Structures are given as C-alpha cells and as structure tokens.
Amino acid sequence: MNVHRIPVRIGTLLALIFAIAGPARSYAQSETRPETGTVQGTVLDATANVGVAGAQVFVAGTVIGTLTDAEGGYSLSGVPTGEQVVTVRLIGYRESSKTVSVTAGRTLTLDFTVEQTALRLQDLTATGVAGETPQDRHPYAVERTARGLATTSAMRAYPGYNTESYARIVENDFRSVGESPLSTFSIDVDRASYANVRRFIQAGERPPVDAVRIEEMINYFPYEWDGAAGDHPFQVVTEVWDAPWKPEHRLVRIGLEAPSVDTENLPPSNLVFLLDVSGSMSSPDKLPLLKKAFALLTEQLRPQDRVAIVVYAGAAGLVLPPTPGNRRARILSAVERLEAGGSTAGGAGIALAYKVARKHFVEDGNNRVILATDGDFNVGASSDEAMVRLIERERESGIFLTVLGFGTGNLKDSKMEQIADRGNGNFHYVDGLLEARKVLVEEMGGTLFTVAKDVKLQVEFNPARAAAHRLIGYENRLLADEDFNDDTKDAGELGAGHTVTALYEVVPAGLPVPRSVDPLRYQPAAEPTPPVEAPPGAFEDELLYVKVRYKDPDGAESKLLAHAVADRSRSPSRGFRFAAAVAGFGMLLRDSPHAGGLSADDVISLAEGGRGDDPRGYRGEFIRLVETVRDLDLLGTAAEDGDQR
C-alpha cells in the first residue's frame, strides 16, 4: 500500500487530531463549569436550506464536540469563556469555522450554512470518540480509514482490461424417474443474466457460456395468466406441450404469479441505498448511470417512505441520514455530489448499511438495502465466501436486499448473484437507462416489496407416464429433496407482480432416455424403461405432481400448495410459446447438446408466435437480438467460459 505524505497546516492538523482522537465526551457532555458557557445553533444546507443531520460540531483545541440532530440542531456545553473557534465538518460538505465570544453561564446562538462539495471517499479519515465502547459509537460514523490507500483504476488506465467473472454452470441432464422421481429447487426471480447477455450481443460479441442463466432469461419477461391467487399471495399454473426441439418429448411449464400492488398501496419503506463510489465505478456506464437510475426511483417515493444513503470506497460513510421520500431535492442532491475514487471496502459498506436499516426498522414495513456496484470488492471482506457469510448473518434481521450490477470489464457477476441469493433478495444488471426504468419504476413493487419468501418447488414424476425429466436452468438453485420440508433452508423470494416460470423437458414412458454417460462395463445396456402399471383410476392420467412451499415475509413456518398435472399436450399459450423460444435461445448460446437441431430461425419463429401485444416492446427486442446473433453468425464463434471473461 502506498502512503501519500501531504503538507499539513496547523489548523488542518488540529482537525485531523480531532478526527483521529475524536471528541472524547461528544455524547456525554461535560458538566458546565463556573467559567464556561454554552453554544448552540443549527447547521443548514446552503442549497436546500434544510437542516443537515449527522454533522460534527466541535470547539477547536478542545475535546468538546457533538453531532447535529435530525433537524440540524446542536448544543455544546462546557465551552471555556473567551474567544473560541467552532467548526462544522461533514462528508460531502465544505468545512466551516466561526469565532465566537463565550460568556460564563450564558447560552449563545451560532448558526452555520454549509456548502456541498464533491464527495471523494479516498480523502476520508475514520472518526471516533476517545475512550468510547463500540456501543457508544455513533451509528453513522465512518467505520474505516481510507487515507493512505492508493486509488486503483485499472479500467481507466487500460481500456481493454477485463476481469469479469461468472460462476461455472454445469447444465442439468436427464434424470431417470426410476432413480430420481423427485426434482427440488428454489425459485429464482433474478433477471440479471438477460440484460447482461443483451449487452454482449449489442456489442457484437457472443456472451460467455456461464453468463447465460436460462431461467433468468425466461423470467426477465412478464407473463400473464387468468385466475386469482385465492388464499395465497400467488397462484400456480401449469401447461403441457410437445418440446419444440424434440417433439416426441413433453415440455412442461410451471408458473407462479403474484398480483401487482399499486405503489400507493405498498407499506412504508425503510430504504438504505448502498452505493459503490470506488475508482472502478468512474466510467459512464457505472456511477453516472447509477445517479440517473436512482433519480428515477426517487420519483416513486412517498412521504411515508424513508431513504438513507451509505457510500463506500476505501471507507464506508453515511452521506444522507434517513430522509422522507418527498424530500426529493435533498435526496438527489446527496446522490449528485458523489464522485468515484479509491479502493473498494464492500464489506464495511454492507455492514454499515444494515446497521442504519436496523436502527430505523419499520414494523410491517418494507425494510431493504439496495446495493449498486460492479461487485469489484478488494478491501476487507472481499472473497465470495466471506461476503456470503456476512450477508447470511444480516438477513436474520428481517431486512431484504436488492443488488443492482453496473458496468463492463470488471463485472463480478458471480459475487453479486451469491450476495443477492443469500440475502433474501434479487439481482438485476442495469445496462442502460431503459433497464433502470424497468427495474426501478415499472417493476418497483416486485423489486422492492416481497410477498413470499423461501419459495421452493418439488415435482414428483409419475413413472407410469414419464421415463426421465430435465429441469431447464436453475442449476445453481437445486436443493436436496429433504430440503423441501426443512424450514431452516433458505430459498428464493417472490415480489409483488413477479412471475416465475420453470420448464421441464420430460421423456414419456417407453421412450429411450438420453444419457451422457458411457456404457457400463459389467452390466448390459439398459433397455427403455417400460411404463409402470398403475392401478386403474389411481393417478393414471397424471404426468406429475407439483408442490410449493413458501413463508410469509415475516413468517418462520412454511405453507404448502399442491397441484396435479395431467399428461395432456395442448396448444400452448402465447406466454408458453415465448418462454420456450427464450429457453431454446439460451441453449443455443450455451452450446447445449439438448438443443437438438434447433436453429436461430426456429427460435425467431417461436418467439413471433408468442409475441402477443407486447406493450413495452420487450419481446420484440428479444426477436431482434436473436436476429443479430443469426446475422453476425455469433453462434459460429467459439463459446468462452466464465473464467475467460
């Protein structure tokens, strides 16, 4: 680590000494002595003309200091008589000092108006109170030192530099119903993969194989079903069709749909924006785009909502204490002042964000941390395992998590996906302002308000009707069969207005099962499994049985839904046809051996048949992406795995 030595003037040195040692009696003011007085007043934002909360106010050359309250007020008692210099300091504001003449036994009023400055966290110094215990420390104090950390921004220095990483995905294969009659997995409402795949294709590149998560591509698109959820927060629907890429196989669609909730009917929100302002976030598709994205979100906030902003680079600090949602000018001003610079102490930022969220927890409300980052953590807890353990501890507080990924070149997709999955949350990749609007405006209810948590599915296949089954996607969401009834096992969350689709390819009983293993040496090759004779009338027309478990957002005990699916292939709905097209496209991008003879033209034809009304144009955009892949012959280029990007 490089340490930069900077000339320091006496006044600055005193301020630094205070920052390191802290006002020893900040929060337990000294008793008023005979030759002391009191100084009190208000600290106002020069632009917004509102009180500034959490600012340090101290008397130079002493250990007397405090922090301003929610309205910007402060009071300093025990101030020695005579001429004294009172200083105000806060992250993101220009330091201000005034001289005051203190009279024994008198209270003087001294107000400050402070001007905003660009915030660069690499210039911060950790603050504290001499002799304090961890319980005494103010919850908004900067928690790590950033001074002396060299700024690392390889992306700016080397435009071609690329350290993107994706978790390895081993595609699901067929499983024999005789050996594995059950299939168990957690739902996945993340949509990040599709937006990321779109980014590659629009740049004329084939996405890395492990960047393609088929279930996230399917679930990127909204689907509609007729019917109501009844006594549960969502409904379960199913369809059976012939698999487009292998017509002799069945394709089964299992869908979950949660009703939408109007914004005005959402419970009060306690939101903590956790924003990465490290050096790697400096490019236009990162911090500048992030600012515009959060400006869209603030337009949806209401007076009963509260928003706080925590930022991190080499340090973590609070730049906006909890503020009513209708104070948009103040919220946007805090966001607009941010500048990128410094290393990336993501662990410290996450810990501070959860601390702020817990302190202002709203009972029966929407308590959520919204992390916006490229995922490139490199100071403190930064390994995938360490970050996951931290998030798992914090999720027990009842606070949910949304992760928004930004940028190119060093996107840490694997890390952000794990953090979101383990933090009772969802993960989105924002590749432009239109995607920001989709996530934070059009789908705000689903993104920010959870209606069911720990949602798991277990499917039992009828051996009289099915020889083998293959779940398409969800490779990193598979669960052990016994986990289905274990309420301590974490699973995915379902938000208001969310739809979740899972597709199974099923080999009918009596047909050969595609297997990728070599023939056995000591046993003869197995013949196609004959259909199991079922007693007349006993489930004879059932292909499979779907069970769903979920918990209420604040619940600890799961509830069960069950649904039998008949073995009847029918004309698919437009939504089913389109979902099959997306699944087929994902298989082509992954070079899946299960795609059979499917081509890009086949995918386009399927998607056109399932396009429907398409009011937002999302399905039309998908068709154009497939056409781009076809016209540029991207499927003819070598597919790379996640380690090569």
Side-chain angles (χ1 to χ4, degrees):
M1 180 180 354
N2 296 324
V3 177
H4 302 284
R5 303 189 180 275
I6 306 172
V8 181
R9 293 178 296 182
I10 295 299
T12 305
L13 180 60
L14 290 174
L16 289 173
I17 292 173
F18 176 83
I20 297 170
R25 305 170 77 170
S26 296
Y27 312 111
Q29 293 285 346
S30 59
E31 299 179 0
T32 303
R33 301 186 300 274
E35 298 300 320
T36 65
T38 298
V39 179
Q40 65 181 22
T42 303
V43 178
L44 296 176
D45 183 299
T47 302
N49 197 33
V50 296
V52 177
Q56 293 181 356
V57 185
F58 59 93
V59 180
T62 74
V63 293
I64 299 170
T66 189
L67 296 173
T68 55
D69 60 23
E71 302 302 322
Y74 75 92
S75 180
L76 300 169
S77 60
V79 181
T81 57
E83 297 290 316
Q84 301 292 344
V85 176
V86 180
T87 298
V88 174
R89 184 173 64 210
L90 178 64
I91 302 169
Y93 286 87
R94 183 168 289 107
E95 186 174 296
S96 178
S97 297
K98 290 186 178 181
T99 300
V100 63
S101 181
V102 180
T103 304
R106 299 285 299 276
T107 297
L108 302 176
T109 298
L110 185 65
D111 295 330
F112 288 83
T113 300
V114 290
E115 297 179 351
Q116 300 173 7
T117 61
L119 175 64
R120 299 180 63 86
L121 270 182
Q122 72 268 31
D123 297 330
L124 296 180
T125 300
T127 62
V129 178
E132 73 177 349
T133 66
Q135 291 75 23
D136 296 328
R137 185 176 297 126
H138 191 277
Y140 305 142
V142 176
E143 302 215 334
R144 295 286 188 271
T145 179
R147 193 173 301 278
L149 293 177
T151 300
T152 57
S153 185
M155 291 301 299
R156 284 182 292 173
Y158 304 100
Y161 190 66
N162 193 328
T163 62
E164 293 190 10
S165 63
Y166 300 91
R168 182 120 182 128
I169 295 175
V170 178
E171 187 177 20
N172 291 329
D173 206 345
F174 281 100
R175 301 171 67 188
S176 166
V177 173
E179 299 171 359
S180 303
L182 297 175
S183 173
T184 309
F185 65 99
S186 162
I187 69 163
D188 186 357
V189 296
D190 296 346
R191 281 100 160 97
S193 180
Y194 178 79
N196 193 29
V197 165
R198 177 179 61 199
R199 184 250 302 187
F200 278 100
I201 295 173
Q202 289 177 340
E205 300 178 40
R206 180 172 183 170
V209 165
D210 293 324
V212 181
R213 294 188 289 273
I214 295 177
E215 73 281 3
E216 293 185 23
M217 295 180 64
I218 295 171
N219 289 325
Y220 178 87
F221 301 93
Y223 302 93
E224 294 182 359
W225 293 281
D226 295 329
D231 296 332
H232 300 280
F234 55 89
Q235 65 168 326
V236 180
V237 295
T238 56
E239 292 184 82
V240 180
W241 186 32
D242 297 333
W245 46 86
K246 201 169 183 64
E248 60 269 31
H249 290 180
R250 295 280 193 264
L251 188 64
V252 180
R253 178 195 192 194
I254 302 171
L256 276 59
E257 180 185 31
S260 298
V261 178
D262 292 336
T263 302
E264 58 267 23
N265 295 328
L266 292 173
S269 292
N270 165 35
L271 305 177
V272 180
F273 296 167
L274 175 57
L275 310 182
D276 182 351
V277 294
S278 62
S280 66
M281 291 288 290
S282 61
S283 59
D285 59 350
K286 294 185 180 181
L287 184 57
L289 176 59
L290 184 158
K291 292 180 180 181
K292 296 175 182 177
F294 277 87
L296 294 174
L297 176 58
T298 59
E299 294 298 322
Q300 311 304 310
L301 299 176
R302 307 158 300 173
Q304 61 266 40
D305 301 323
R306 293 293 183 271
V307 173
I309 300 177
V310 171
V311 295
Y312 66 91
L318 185 93
V319 298
L320 181 74
T323 301
N326 60 345
R327 302 284 292 274
R328 294 187 180 91
R330 185 174 184 181
I331 297 170
L332 291 175
S333 176
V335 173
E336 192 57 38
R337 297 198 312 270
L338 302 177
E339 288 188 1
S343 51
T344 317
I350 289 173
L352 180 57
Y354 274 99
K355 179 189 288 187
V356 175
R358 287 195 306 269
K359 181 177 176 62
H360 299 276
F361 191 88
V362 177
E363 293 293 338
D364 299 321
N366 174 29
N367 299 277
R368 183 174 295 268
V369 171
I370 304 173
L371 168 61
T373 178
D374 59 10
D376 193 6
F377 308 135
N378 53 40
V379 174
S382 60
S383 70
D384 289 3
E385 294 79 9
M387 297 297 293
V388 165
R389 286 195 296 270
L390 173 62
I391 291 295
E392 286 178 333
R393 290 195 301 269
E394 295 290 359
R395 77 179 180 212
E396 301 304 322
S397 62
I399 297 166
F400 293 87
L401 176 68
T402 292
V403 179
L404 304 178
F406 288 82
T408 64
N410 65 331
L411 182 71
K412 300 299 182 283
D413 176 274
S414 57
K415 185 169 297 185
M416 289 187 286
E417 184 194 18
Q418 284 195 58
I419 288 173
D421 291 349
R422 302 300 179 89
N424 283 349
N426 44 62
F427 172 36
H428 303 265
Y429 175 71
V430 180
D431 60 342
L433 204 55
L434 291 179
E435 184 66 15
R437 176 173 292 279
K438 179 178 185 291
V439 173
L440 298 175
V441 178
E442 297 170 12
E443 300 176 354
M444 178 182 175
T447 302
L448 301 184
F449 181 57
T450 298
V451 298
K453 70 177 182 180
D454 293 339
V455 184
K456 314 172 200 174
L457 280 80
Q458 186 167 79
V459 180
E460 180 182 356
F461 292 87
N462 182 0
R465 292 284 183 169
H469 57 87
R470 183 177 78 87
L471 177 61
I472 300 176
Y474 293 92
E475 284 85 0
N476 57 4
R477 294 292 187 135
L478 300 179
L479 298 172
D481 293 337
E482 57 270 22
D483 290 345
F484 182 73
N485 292 323
D486 186 349
D487 282 351
T488 66
K489 296 296 183 181
D490 183 56
E493 279 61 51
L494 188 66
H498 269 165
T499 58
V500 175
T501 293
L503 298 180
Y504 278 95
E505 184 176 351
V506 180
V507 179
L511 294 184
V513 177
R515 303 299 294 267
S516 59
V517 297
D518 294 331
L520 297 177
R521 179 179 179 87
Y522 301 107
Q523 299 180 36
E527 296 295 328
T529 304
V532 174
E533 293 295 333
F539 322 123
E540 60 183 9
D541 67 339
E542 291 183 9
L543 177 61
L544 53 88
Y545 191 62
V546 180
K547 295 182 291 184
V548 182
R549 282 197 178 275
Y550 74 94
K551 299 175 189 171
D552 293 327
D554 57 352
E557 185 174 340
S558 67
K559 301 177 182 180
L560 177 66
L561 290 80
H563 184 78
V565 180
D567 186 14
R568 287 193 291 270
S569 178
R570 296 180 174 176
S571 178
S573 65
R574 286 178 175 174
F576 191 5
R577 190 180 294 272
F578 187 82
V582 179
F585 185 50
M587 288 191 288
L588 291 178
L589 292 176
R590 290 191 54 81
D591 274 345
S592 170
H594 301 293
L598 193 72
S599 68
D601 284 327
D602 295 330
V603 171
I604 293 169
S605 178
L606 273 172
E608 289 283 10
R611 183 171 182 170
D613 294 336
D614 195 23
R616 298 290 183 182
Y618 298 137
R619 296 186 181 187
E621 178 194 58
F622 170 80
I623 293 170
R624 291 191 294 274
L625 284 181
V626 182
E627 290 173 340
T628 299
V629 168
R630 178 197 62 191
D631 295 344
L632 296 181
D633 194 25
L634 295 184
L635 295 177
T637 62
E640 299 176 340
D641 62 30
D643 295 333
Q644 293 176 305
R645 292 295 310 177

